[in-house]
Amino acid sequence: QVQLVESGGGLMQAGGSLRLSCAASGRTFSNYAIGWFRQAPGKEREFVAAITWSGGNTNYADSVKGRFTISRDNAKKTVYLQMNSLKPEDTAVYYCAARLGIITTSRSYDYWGQGTQVTVSS
């Protein structure tokens, strides 16, 4: 069982940066791949980035590649999403999610956090 809590969201001007955190509880956090997803009003939840349990492999949506960086610290049971060069279209609720096995861009993750709002003004 893994519980996830996101933090770090807020209001930022376009071009700015934010770092989201996903804090996990549960003894086996290091076994889980972690994904970040986002959902804008009226849109489906979409994949943003993911990282394997070891941190050795990552995957990014084309829309954030080169601007966002996912990383993890298993000792702190935390995954981070560094978001640079933010755009108004990045505005959404951001969710982290956990699954055993390989990373995937689909929503087939076993555990989800409650989300944190990111708003980017132009």
Side-chain angles (χ1 to χ4, degrees):
Q1 190 84 9
V2 176
Q3 292 80 42
L4 304 170
V5 178
E6 303 93 337
S7 62
L11 175 64
M12 179 58 64
Q13 288 189 331
S17 298
L18 282 173
R19 188 177 79 158
L20 305 184
S21 298
C22 172
S25 60
R27 294 180 298 169
T28 58
F29 170 74
S30 59
N31 292 346
Y32 286 80
I34 302 294
W36 282 97
F37 291 76
R38 66 186 181 186
Q39 187 166 18
K43 295 188 176 181
E44 290 191 354
R45 193 170 298 187
E46 64 175 5
F47 171 77
V48 175
I51 189 167
T52 54
W53 67 270
S54 68
N57 286 303
T58 58
N59 192 11
Y60 296 91
D62 288 342
S63 58
V64 307
K65 204 170 290 184
R67 300 189 297 123
F68 290 11
T69 302
I70 189 171
S71 61
R72 69 189 293 161
D73 185 336
N74 285 340
K76 295 182 178 179
K77 295 184 178 180
T78 302
V79 173
Y80 305 98
L81 185 68
Q82 178 67 43
M83 305 187 297
N84 300 328
S85 302
L86 284 163
K87 304 176 181 180
E89 50 264 43
D90 294 321
T91 295
V93 177
Y94 283 72
Y95 300 88
C96 64
R99 72 188 304 271
L100 289 171
I102 62 173
I103 57 177
T104 176
T105 61
S106 74
R107 285 174 284 181
S108 58
Y109 284 71
D110 302 307
Y111 305 101
W112 292 82
Q114 294 298 308
T116 184
Q117 176 71 47
V118 171
T119 302
V120 183
S121 62
S122 58

